[in-house]
Amino acid sequence: MTRHLPTVLLMGGIFALAACDAAPTEPLAAPDGAQESSALAPGDASIVDIVVASSEADDAEFTLLRAAIEYIAATNEGSALLARLADRSQVTVFAPTDQAFVDLVNAVAPLVDGDILANEGPFAAIDALLGAGTIEAVVSYHVTAGRRAARSVVPAGRSPRPRTIQTLLDGASFQVTNAGQIVAVGNTANIVAADVSASNGIVHVIDAVILPVDLGL
């Protein structure tokens, strides 16, 4: 964990259920340089490598996603989810930005135990509130099996029918509209960057932490 992580965690906590008020109105375009095919060539770095490198960059991102992964590793040594993120099992990750995590905390901070939040951090506070394994379940909700480029996630053209994405969280899915908006069980998010290719999958960046349950926030 980088030295600035504890400060970021204590300052913002973890989740923010802030669903975006304005979704994109046009179908999501492939990013510059992205392959037009739905089968992107594998990159050299694993998904975990990409998250770590991004969290350590000058313009750091995925700092809190990395912290969530490290928390899961510390609390569940045999996590099947983390094994899939690190090995060559192909998965697609919808990765929330740091701001997505910070925003979401502001919604749940009044609900968690303040002492646990201050002394053990927001991930422990969330698990204490909603049950052990909640953080891992939420991260699993952001992962689906297989390499799924933007063209196999976002419905083509102006199709009104959203595409259903089955996640690694048992029995949980979300939908993606042709505007690149994710409609989850508990909130919504938008895909803001797509088709980051890893050796073991693909990463799409999203602007909110999506939740597999409706907390009524």
Side-chain angles (χ1 to χ4, degrees):
M1 184 177 294
T2 56
R3 287 177 294 178
H4 59 285
L5 278 180
T7 301
V8 176
L9 289 174
L10 291 175
M11 180 176 62
I14 144 180
F15 296 128
L17 256 184
C20 298
D21 294 331
T25 56
E26 296 297 328
L28 184 74
D32 292 341
Q35 293 177 228
E36 291 301 314
S37 170
S38 61
L40 292 173
D44 295 328
S46 73
I47 291 170
V48 169
D49 291 337
I50 289 171
V51 170
V52 170
S54 179
S55 72
E56 295 177 345
D58 290 339
D59 187 14
E61 193 57 274
F62 299 149
T63 305
L64 295 178
L65 177 58
R66 177 182 178 178
I69 291 172
E70 291 175 341
Y71 173 82
I72 294 168
T75 55
N76 183 3
E77 185 176 347
S79 170
L81 168 65
L82 297 192
R84 295 193 71 169
L85 292 179
D87 67 16
R88 298 195 68 85
S89 298
Q90 298 294 312
V91 295
T92 298
V93 176
F94 296 83
T97 63
D98 281 346
Q99 187 60 50
F101 277 100
V102 169
D103 289 344
L104 185 54
V105 177
N106 295 334
V108 299
L111 304 178
V112 302
D113 186 304
D115 289 338
I116 297 176
L117 180 64
N119 296 310
E120 300 179 44
F123 299 100
I126 294 291
D127 268 0
L129 175 68
L130 299 176
T134 295
I135 300 303
E136 184 165 6
V138 170
V139 174
S140 296
Y141 191 53
H142 291 72
V143 184
T144 187
R147 294 180 62 84
R148 301 202 60 172
R151 286 180 174 269
S152 68
V153 170
V154 181
R158 299 188 178 277
S159 171
R161 180 175 298 177
R163 182 165 285 155
T164 298
I165 305 296
Q166 298 294 332
T167 75
L168 294 189
L169 181 60
D170 287 346
S173 64
F174 57 78
Q175 294 187 318
V176 182
T177 72
N178 66 347
Q181 183 181 57
I182 294 173
V183 181
V185 174
N187 61 328
T188 64
N190 295 302
I191 300 173
V192 295
D195 291 345
V196 179
S197 186
S199 61
N200 62 334
I202 294 174
V203 177
H204 305 301
V205 184
I206 62 176
D207 63 0
V209 178
I210 55 174
L211 297 182
V213 294
D214 187 356
L215 298 179
L217 300 177

